[in-house]
Structure formats: C-alpha cells, structure tokens
Amino acid sequence: MGKIKIGLMGFGTVGSGVWKIIQENRDKIIENCGYEIEVSKILVQDLAKKRDDAIAKEMFTDNPTDILEDENIEIIIEVMGGIEPAKEYILEAIKRRKHVVTANKALLASHGGVLMKAAKEANVKLLYEASVAGGIPIIHAIKESLSANRINRIMGILNGTTNYILTKMTSEKMEFETVLKEAQGKGYAEADPTSDVGGYDAAYKLTILARLAFGIDVKIEDVYREGITNITPIDIEYATELGYVIKLLAIAKEVNGEIELKVHPTFIPKEHPLAAVGDAFNAVYVKGNAVGELMFYGKGAGDLPTGSAVVGDIISIIREGKHQNKRVSEKNEKNQNRIKDMGSNQGEYYVRLLIKDYPGVLGKIASLFGKYNVSLSSVIQKGKEEPAVSLVFITHDTVELNVQYALTDIAKLPEVIRIANLIRVENV
Amino acid sequence: MGKIKIGLMGFGTVGSGVWKIIQENRDKIIENCGYEIEVSKILVQDLAKKRDDAIAKEMFTDNPTDILEDENIEIIIEVMGGIEPAKEYILEAIKRRKHVVTANKALLASHGGVLMKAAKEANVKLLYEASVAGGIPIIHAIKESLSANRINRIMGILNGTTNYILTKMTSEKMEFETVLKEAQGKGYAEADPTSDVGGYDAAYKLTILARLAFGIDVKIEDVYREGITNITPIDIEYATELGYVIKLLAIAKEVNGEIELKVHPTFIPKEHPLAAVGDAFNAVYVKGNAVGELMFYGKGAGDLPTGSAVVGDIISIIREGKHQNKRVSEKNEKNQNRIKDMGSNQGEYYVRLLIKDYPGVLGKIASLFGKYNVSLSSVIQKGKEEPAVSLVFITHDTVELNVQYALTDIAKLPEVIRIANLIRVENV
C-alpha cells in the first residue's frame, strides 16, 4: 500500500476535522484512491496547548519550514485562515511544486487570482472546495459537471449563522437582537458577529463562486453587501402575508452580458426551493442554460462537513496523479470589468414606510413613485399602530436607482416618519 | 483550436439535446476544455425520417460501423436506450479504445458491472452522469466530492412522472387515475406508464447509485419495488394530518453492514428537504459519515438537462486527457451479497384498514399487533364512511416481517374488510 504524505497547516475546527476523517475513514479512502493518506506534520501556533493524546507530540510543529521544506510531503492543507502568513506559505508550497488544498475563503476572495495563476504556472493543483458552503460540492459541480453550461445565475444561502437567525425570527416571531444573543449563547454565532450578520462572510464566498462561474477576476469590493441587522419581525410578517420568505442571499447573475454581484436580505417566493432551507443549513441554487435549475443543500460549516470537502480534494489530487496532463487545467479569466453597478440593477422591491396616517398621504407617495416610473404591484396598510402606521409596497420590475430616487423624495414628505426598510425581491 | 471528434449513437430527446448544447454553448465548451467538440456522425434508425434542416444530411447514418470503425472518433455517446444493440456497440467501442458516455440506465442497471470491467481493462473512460437524475451531478458527487465519506444512506426522488402525479394528487386532492390521464395528455407520462408508476425506472437508477456508493455489484432484482398505483387521496389526507408527505423514494441504506435497497411510496416528515421537492423535479438526499446531510435538486429529465450531463462527461474526458494516469481508476467491487432481505428491514409503518365499526374491533386489532411485537405510536379513526370506516395506525420502529405477520392475521378478522394500504415511514 502506497502512502501519500501531507502537511496540515492549522489545527482548529477544520484541521481537526480533516485529521479525524483521515483516521476514521482510512479504509474508505484507500478504497477510493488506492493510497493511504498520511499526515506527516501539523503546524500549530502554540506547541504548549493541550491536544488529543492519541496524536503523537512529535507530529506537531510551530515551524512552517518543517512542512514546506519536507520533500516527501506532496500536498499541503492550509486551514489556518486569515491572509498572512497563509498566503506566503501557499505560494512557497506552490514554488516547491506541492499541491495545495485550502479552506480559506478570505484569502481566496482577496488573492485568489494570484494564487491560481501561480499554481497553474507551477503545474500543481490548488483546490478549495471547502472554502464555500462547507461540505456541499458546489465548486466541483461548477468546475466539472456544469462545464457544458453557460451559467446565468447563482443564488446562495452561504452563511449558516444568518440563516439560523432568520429562520428563528420567522418561526418564533422574535427580534433580531434576541435571537442573536441566543445564538451566541449556543455557540452558533461569534462574540463579534459582524462578519456573519453584516454579510461579509457570504460576500467572500460569492466572490469565489462568481470568479469560477463567470470567468472574471472578481474582487470583494465588487460585491454590493448588506447584512440582516435591519430585518424586523414586522418585515417578516409582511413577507409571510405576501407569500414570501426573507433569506440573506448571495446573488451573482448575468444580465445582458453584465454581472450583478450582491449580498442582501431578499424576498423569495415561499415555493422556491431556497425558501425551505432552514436553520444553519446552506444551499446554492444555480441556473445554467442547459441544465436549468439546480440546487445543492447541506451543512455549510463544522469540522466534519468542511473536513469532508478538504479530504475529497486531497483524494481528487491523488487520483489524478501528481503530474496531471489535463489538456487545459484552469479557465481563462477573460471578461474583465463587466460587473454591474447596483443602481442599474433591475428587479422588484419591498418598501416599508412608517407614516402618519393623514388623508391623502397614499396618493402623495404613489405620485412620487410614479414620477420615477416605479409602478406598484401591491400596497398593504394595516390597522393603526399609533401614532405611526406601516405602509408596505411591492413594486413591479424597475431599475433600482429609480426606487432610490423616489424614496429620497418620499422621505421628505412631512407625513413620512421614515423609510423603515427596503428589501429586494427575487421572483425566480 | 484542436477538435475532438465524437460519434452520437441515437438522436431522440437526449441525442438532440446533446447536439443543441454542443452547437449553442460552443464558446463556453472551448473555454472550459480548450477543445472544440465536433460531432462526426449521428447513428439513427430511420434515415428517411425528417430532421432539423440545419444538420447536413451526410451527418446521419444507419450503419454503426461508420462510427465504431472511424479511428478519428475518440468518444462515443450512447443515447439510444435499450439493452441491445446498445451493449454490443459500447463493448465494441471500448475494444477499439474509444471512451464512452452513456445515459442508458436500463443497460447500466443490468450489465453495468461487465461494461465497467471492460472499460477498466481497456483503460478507457465509461461515464454515465446522465443515467441518473438527468442534469443533477449526483454520480460525479459520489465518485469525487464525497470520496472521503462512508455513505450511510441515499434517498432519491428519481422519477419525475410519479413525483408530478403525487404532487398533483396532494395539492388538488385528485385520484391517481385522473392525474395520470391528465399527465399523459400533457406528455408528462408515457402511454404505457408502467415503467414510471410501477417504480421500475427508479429501481434502475437506484441500482446504479447503490453500486457506486457501496461498491457492490447490485442487480436490479436485488431492489424491492413497489409503485404508486395504490396511493389514494385518503392516504394523502392522513399523511398531511400526521405531518407527513408521501413521495416515491428510492432508498439505499447501510444498516449494520448490510444494505437495504428499495423503491416504494414513503411517508417523510413535512420538514424534510425532500418533502419540498414538487412537480416533475428530482432530488437525491445523501448522508455521509463526514459530510452529514446533503441534497441535490434539479430537473431529472428533458433534452437539455440530460444533455448537460452528457456534455459535462465529454468535457471531463477531454480535460483528463486520453490516457488518464489516475492512480486508481474505479472502485473495487467488493462486499458482495450484503443486500438485506425486505422482511428483515426495520422501520415505522403507516397501515390503513377498512373495517366494519363494531364495538371491540380496535382491541382485537391492537392485540394482534401486540402478538407480533408491533407497538403503535398513532391511531386515527375518522367519522364513518358507511358501511366501512378507515382505521389508521402508525407503528413504532419494528421489523417489517412482524408487521406483515400481524396484517395477515388482522385480515382474517370478520370485522376487517381489507388492508387498504401499508406505506413505509422514513423519519430521518
């Protein structure tokens, strides 16, 4: 039985998941790739920290060169997270013609282009299935299975924490802050939840998906980003009444040769397959011009689901052989600068205003929408909540900038207390 | 620009889908694999039949040797269906060291082992993503992305026609026969619907999935099979009342080292992701010991979705190069004879009896269940439908044979008119 030696850089949640899978599924892995995977070294920050006794002390090192300079190590697994020194180590590994598997979404979103170019030039593999949606094989699907398709649209629930919060807010009619605290108590949300609830985490992942699906060198700054902190039980109630569910979606779609890239809370029809994705689950919905609608659903985080993706990538590399002779190994990144400005996006919008209910106010507001060519498909005014009432609109298909202009004018009306929310609708 | 020549054997729904995708997505395909795919010849049965004028007449042939003996053709696409002559052509192509892509589920289910062995020995690829669930990349996912997992369970909605019928029966409270006729009128169901409504089509696909996921040489006869013809609106109503949805599921699961293989109508909790899969959509739910729950959703049939899977396989072959040097190319089929007998399966059961409502009848029936150690979790008796009433039970976890024994005895009670239905429950 041959052995393939790997170096594990990082031993947090994902790293220990990778370790566990390699030990526990040893037979299955050998059956699937014909080789045993052997972890040669594990890079950690603090050698003094107490670890699993089953792992020999000599296995750990705090010196990256123990892995990078070991010529017997064919593959390095980067699961440290963060930009540096992860980037430096990966580039060094590539230079030394080692294959790389990484779960590092922030690094790939910011420097993916550079890393992929380096790997291509060195003729080594750089695989990153684990960086998006944990155990869901969406990267592989886009790269391989959907390669006969022109991808028109990707819509993902890519952040488990926010999906858990929105699911809970919906089922229990609870406030955002209350659910967040509860989630933090249970360890489902970080002490500093900004990356999740602000939509940053989802934006990283969207960057990686869009680069792959559309062959463009997307930067994280290209993604319009809005979190879920502004969602209230009132909005959720209106959504339900109107036949929608509110989800934080990461959306990349091609519209007339331009790409829209955005992460924001979204109204989706309750019949849409994404609407049924509850709790901390992730899902990615893809539309291709041949395959039609596809959805992938699963656990987007956790040691074993993410580890499953990492070890799957290791096995791929082993099965393809060290010096793969693929006729073409990576897509060409063409089509630059095609990313669309948010204001020029077209769609439907949910608008909730808080107003003083004087006679004639609806007419004034409707006229201002009309002034900017925003036509309305639904208006709901519910029983008074003194001294203010909520007035809810769903628009017909319209250009986002027009809605923004109309709302700027509407906000100035004396009867309007404030624009309580604006949420985009995806009626797919 | 290099060209890869392929031979298309069959030009029905899938074949013409493959043709369309190769023409329409030409640029995308070149971008993804670096080569142009060129169809050299199309094998058809009837040369006289009228076809798309855009395709040159010389493209068509009714002589298979025009494809099999053409040394410039590197890949053959078998989309004729049926066992012979498809099997003969594929074996001949393999002998001539051509790669093969097939969508032929019946052939793979019956002779997959032989074909895969031949391909392995000849060191050519035999890919068949399109044979299960159309455009959903489930074969690729099991082969590649989930290769670090021990797969515990697969549950699939693998037949669009039956899912359409059950969805319609549920939403419109219609009888099976009525919906079937409507579906036939719309072309959603065949004139002879046996293969779909009898569960044969799903059983073929399950055979292919189980062989791959569990590494066993499954035969179609190993699959317990039951169709949906016996499902009534009354059963669906009880299912809804009890919090379930009825789906025709193809199930393969490992229980204590043995494999259960079965296609039958199933009660699944309404919160389960498979429960939301409506209309003619397909979905495959997979549970792996590392990745946890995954579900893949999409169109399971149609020219373009199925063609997408075929062309995806062609691109895979091209990208990997003609003479792949994978360290190990296919799984070893070990673990023979591990398939479990249906009677020894364990689970929960929905039982509906039609009885004459005399005093004491419930006691008699409950005693007979008790005699065979079948304990009950729910009993529902609804308002009388003279002269008979429906009596519905959900059992606790029990061995199937015990339920069968109990029902044999229960059927003999004078108060029991008949066992109206027995449907298995999956509480996952």
Side-chain angles (χ1 to χ4, degrees):
Chain A
M1 178 63 52
K3 283 183 186 180
I4 304 289
K5 289 183 195 293
I6 68 167
L8 192 51
M9 305 188 106
F11 203 63
T13 307
V14 182
S16 55
V18 169
W19 171 267
K20 262 185 242 170
I21 293 169
I22 290 174
Q23 311 312 316
E24 282 169 26
N25 290 356
R26 188 179 163 277
D27 295 353
K28 193 75 195 175
I29 291 168
I30 292 173
E31 187 187 326
N32 278 334
C33 72
Y35 283 77
E36 185 176 347
I37 299 174
E38 186 184 283
V39 181
S40 288
K41 276 282 174 210
I42 303 173
L43 178 69
V44 293
Q45 271 189 304
D46 178 8
L47 275 177
K49 195 170 159 185
K50 180 153 173 54
R51 322 244 171 213
D52 187 346
D53 285 338
I55 310 175
K57 272 216 151 56
E58 307 79 64
M59 185 67 89
F60 294 100
T61 176
D62 57 3
N63 183 0
T65 58
D66 284 353
I67 290 174
L68 295 169
E69 296 183 3
D70 183 341
E71 289 186 359
N72 295 315
I73 292 178
E74 297 187 41
I75 307 170
I76 72 146
I77 315 305
E78 186 277 300
V79 285
M80 309 185 301
I83 305 297
E84 289 294 0
K87 186 182 163 203
E88 183 197 328
Y89 296 169
I90 289 178
L91 286 172
E92 182 62 26
I94 289 173
K95 218 172 93 186
R96 292 171 180 272
R97 299 183 58 82
K98 296 184 195 306
H99 301 285
V100 177
V101 176
T102 175
N104 194 328
K105 55 185 180 279
L107 177 59
L108 287 165
S110 327
H111 304 279
V114 174
L115 298 176
M116 284 170 205
K117 192 161 166 272
K120 192 178 173 175
E121 284 169 8
N123 195 27
V124 297
K125 292 289 237 172
L126 170 66
L127 299 186
Y128 49 96
E129 185 64 75
S131 66
V132 179
I136 302 176
I138 183 63
I139 301 284
H140 210 90
I142 295 176
K143 261 193 195 165
E144 301 281 340
S145 311
L146 303 182
S147 53
N149 285 261
R150 191 171 299 280
I151 291 176
N152 311 120
R153 174 191 288 260
I154 295 175
M155 301 205 297
I157 295 175
L158 298 179
N159 180 272
T161 305
T162 46
N163 202 50
Y164 172 82
I165 292 174
L166 289 173
T167 303
K168 199 90 180 173
M169 285 177 71
T170 305
S171 64
E172 325 254 306
K173 300 183 197 303
M174 282 162 74
E175 295 284 345
F176 169 74
E177 289 295 344
T178 322
V179 181
L180 174 62
K181 282 208 184 89
E182 193 195 293
Q184 284 169 323
K186 286 183 180 166
Y188 294 173
E190 308 275 343
D192 176 0
T194 319
S195 171
D196 293 323
V197 303
Y200 296 90
D201 175 76
Y204 284 139
K205 294 166 179 167
L206 184 67
T207 305
I208 297 170
L209 289 182
R211 181 186 286 138
L212 193 61
F214 298 110
I216 47 175
D217 188 15
V218 183
K219 284 166 210 65
I220 181 81
E221 307 83 52
D222 296 327
V223 179
Y224 172 87
R225 187 197 41 72
E226 198 180 303
I228 63 163
T229 49
N230 202 24
I231 301 295
T232 67
I234 302 170
D235 297 312
I236 291 174
E237 203 178 297
Y238 279 111
T240 308
E241 190 175 331
L242 291 157
Y244 291 95
V245 172
I246 302 181
K247 292 289 181 191
L248 181 70
L249 293 192
I251 301 173
K253 59 178 165 182
E254 183 159 0
V255 183
N256 303 324
E258 287 187 303
I259 311 289
E260 292 180 14
L261 288 174
K262 47 201 191 178
V263 171
H264 56 59
T266 316
F267 271 45
I268 48 170
K270 67 176 196 313
E271 301 78 17
H272 194 283
L274 284 169
V277 177
D279 298 325
F281 279 94
N282 280 21
V284 188
Y285 169 95
V286 185
K287 216 168 169 177
N289 74 339
V291 77
E293 300 173 78
L294 275 184
M295 193 181 81
F296 303 78
Y297 164 100
K299 284 184 186 145
D303 56 348
L304 296 179
T306 312
S308 164
V310 170
V311 182
D313 277 351
I314 300 174
I315 294 173
S316 278
I317 291 172
I318 297 175
R319 290 176 75 175
E320 290 198 13
K322 253 185 297 197
H323 304 292
Q324 76 275 16
N325 61 348
K326 285 207 172 186
R327 296 183 183 179
V328 163
S329 53
E330 273 295 334
K331 294 183 186 193
N332 303 314
E333 279 178 7
K334 39 157 214 153
N335 313 326
Q336 300 300 329
N337 306 320
R338 290 196 302 156
I339 294 147
K340 213 169 161 185
D341 177 67
M342 195 66 185
S344 65
N345 282 357
Q346 199 147 346
E348 298 173 30
Y349 297 83
Y350 158 93
V351 175
R352 180 163 64 86
L353 308 177
L354 224 55
I355 60 161
K356 296 174 208 150
D357 189 19
Y358 297 138
V361 56
L362 180 58
K364 283 189 193 175
I365 293 168
S367 310
L368 287 172
F369 276 125
K371 180 180 163 193
Y372 293 100
N373 281 317
V374 176
S375 74
L376 303 169
S377 76
S378 309
V379 181
I380 306 181
Q381 182 176 342
K382 283 253 200 95
K384 307 206 173 190
E385 315 144 37
E386 292 292 355
V389 296
S390 271
L391 193 55
V392 164
F393 302 89
I394 301 271
T395 73
H396 280 299
D397 209 44
T398 184
V399 172
E400 173 141 348
L401 211 53
N402 290 352
V403 179
Q404 303 280 11
Y405 287 146
L407 289 180
T408 308
D409 281 13
I410 288 168
K412 291 177 191 154
L413 290 175
E415 297 91 342
V416 171
I417 301 165
R418 63 188 174 91
I419 313 291
N421 222 334
L422 165 73
I423 305 180
R424 292 157 191 93
V425 179
E426 288 287 343
N427 271 316
V428 194
Chain B
M1 178 62 54
K3 283 182 186 179
I4 304 289
K5 289 182 196 294
I6 68 167
L8 193 51
M9 306 188 105
F11 203 63
T13 306
V14 182
S16 55
V18 169
W19 172 267
K20 264 187 240 167
I21 292 169
I22 290 174
Q23 311 311 314
E24 282 168 26
N25 290 356
R26 189 179 163 275
D27 295 354
K28 193 75 195 173
I29 291 168
I30 292 172
E31 187 186 326
N32 278 335
C33 72
Y35 283 78
E36 185 177 345
I37 299 175
E38 185 184 284
V39 180
S40 288
K41 276 284 174 208
I42 303 174
L43 178 70
V44 294
Q45 270 191 305
D46 178 8
L47 276 177
K49 195 170 161 185
K50 182 155 171 51
R51 323 239 171 216
D52 187 346
D53 285 338
I55 312 176
K57 274 217 149 55
E58 308 78 64
M59 186 66 91
F60 295 100
T61 177
D62 57 2
N63 183 358
T65 58
D66 284 353
I67 290 175
L68 294 169
E69 295 183 2
D70 183 341
E71 290 187 358
N72 294 315
I73 291 178
E74 298 188 39
I75 306 170
I76 73 149
I77 315 305
E78 186 276 302
V79 286
M80 311 185 299
I83 305 297
E84 288 295 359
K87 185 182 164 204
E88 184 198 326
Y89 296 169
I90 289 178
L91 286 172
E92 183 61 27
I94 289 172
K95 217 173 92 188
R96 292 171 179 271
R97 298 185 56 83
K98 297 185 194 305
H99 301 285
V100 176
V101 176
T102 175
N104 193 330
K105 54 185 179 277
L107 177 59
L108 287 165
S110 327
H111 304 279
V114 175
L115 298 177
M116 285 170 205
K117 190 160 168 275
K120 193 177 173 179
E121 284 169 6
N123 196 27
V124 297
K125 292 287 239 173
L126 169 65
L127 299 186
Y128 49 95
E129 184 64 75
S131 67
V132 179
I136 302 175
I138 182 65
I139 301 285
H140 210 90
I142 295 176
K143 262 193 196 167
E144 301 282 339
S145 310
L146 302 182
S147 53
N149 285 261
R150 192 171 300 279
I151 292 176
N152 311 120
R153 173 190 289 259
I154 295 176
M155 301 205 296
I157 295 174
L158 298 179
N159 181 272
T161 305
T162 46
N163 202 50
Y164 173 83
I165 292 174
L166 290 173
T167 304
K168 199 87 181 174
M169 285 177 70
T170 306
S171 64
E172 325 253 305
K173 300 183 196 302
M174 282 161 74
E175 294 284 344
F176 169 75
E177 288 295 343
T178 321
V179 181
L180 174 62
K181 281 207 183 87
E182 194 196 294
Q184 284 170 323
K186 286 184 180 165
Y188 294 174
E190 308 274 343
D192 175 0
T194 319
S195 171
D196 293 323
V197 304
Y200 296 90
D201 175 75
Y204 283 139
K205 294 166 180 167
L206 184 67
T207 305
I208 298 170
L209 289 181
R211 182 185 287 138
L212 193 61
F214 299 109
I216 47 175
D217 188 16
V218 183
K219 284 166 210 66
I220 180 80
E221 309 82 55
D222 295 327
V223 179
Y224 172 86
R225 186 196 42 70
E226 198 181 303
I228 63 163
T229 50
N230 202 24
I231 301 295
T232 67
I234 302 171
D235 297 311
I236 292 175
E237 204 178 296
Y238 279 111
T240 308
E241 190 174 330
L242 291 157
Y244 291 95
V245 173
I246 301 181
K247 293 288 183 192
L248 181 69
L249 293 192
I251 301 173
K253 59 178 167 183
E254 184 160 358
V255 183
N256 303 324
E258 285 188 302
I259 310 290
E260 292 180 13
L261 288 174
K262 47 201 190 177
V263 171
H264 56 60
T266 316
F267 272 43
I268 48 172
K270 67 177 196 312
E271 301 78 18
H272 193 282
L274 284 169
V277 176
D279 298 326
F281 279 94
N282 280 21
V284 188
Y285 169 95
V286 185
K287 216 167 171 179
N289 75 338
V291 77
E293 300 174 78
L294 274 185
M295 193 182 80
F296 302 79
Y297 164 101
K299 284 182 186 146
D303 57 348
L304 297 179
T306 312
S308 164
V310 170
V311 183
D313 277 351
I314 300 174
I315 295 173
S316 278
I317 291 172
I318 297 175
R319 292 175 74 174
E320 290 200 12
K322 252 186 299 197
H323 304 292
Q324 76 276 12
N325 62 348
K326 286 207 169 184
R327 296 185 185 179
V328 163
S329 52
E330 274 294 336
K331 296 183 183 190
N332 303 316
E333 280 177 7
K334 38 160 214 155
N335 312 327
Q336 297 301 331
N337 306 320
R338 288 197 304 157
I339 294 146
K340 211 168 161 185
D341 178 66
M342 196 65 187
S344 64
N345 282 357
Q346 200 148 343
E348 298 172 30
Y349 297 83
Y350 158 93
V351 174
R352 181 163 63 85
L353 308 177
L354 224 57
I355 60 161
K356 296 175 207 150
D357 189 19
Y358 298 139
V361 56
L362 179 59
K364 284 189 192 172
I365 293 169
S367 311
L368 286 173
F369 276 125
K371 179 179 163 193
Y372 293 100
N373 281 318
V374 176
S375 73
L376 304 169
S377 76
S378 309
V379 181
I380 307 181
Q381 182 174 343
K382 282 254 200 95
K384 306 207 173 189
E385 314 144 39
E386 292 291 355
V389 295
S390 271
L391 193 56
V392 164
F393 301 88
I394 301 270
T395 73
H396 279 298
D397 209 44
T398 182
V399 172
E400 173 142 346
L401 211 53
N402 289 354
V403 179
Q404 303 281 11
Y405 286 147
L407 289 180
T408 308
D409 281 12
I410 288 167
K412 291 178 191 154
L413 291 175
E415 297 91 342
V416 172
I417 301 166
R418 64 188 174 90
I419 313 293
N421 222 333
L422 165 73
I423 304 179
R424 293 156 190 92
V425 179
E426 288 286 343
N427 271 317
V428 193

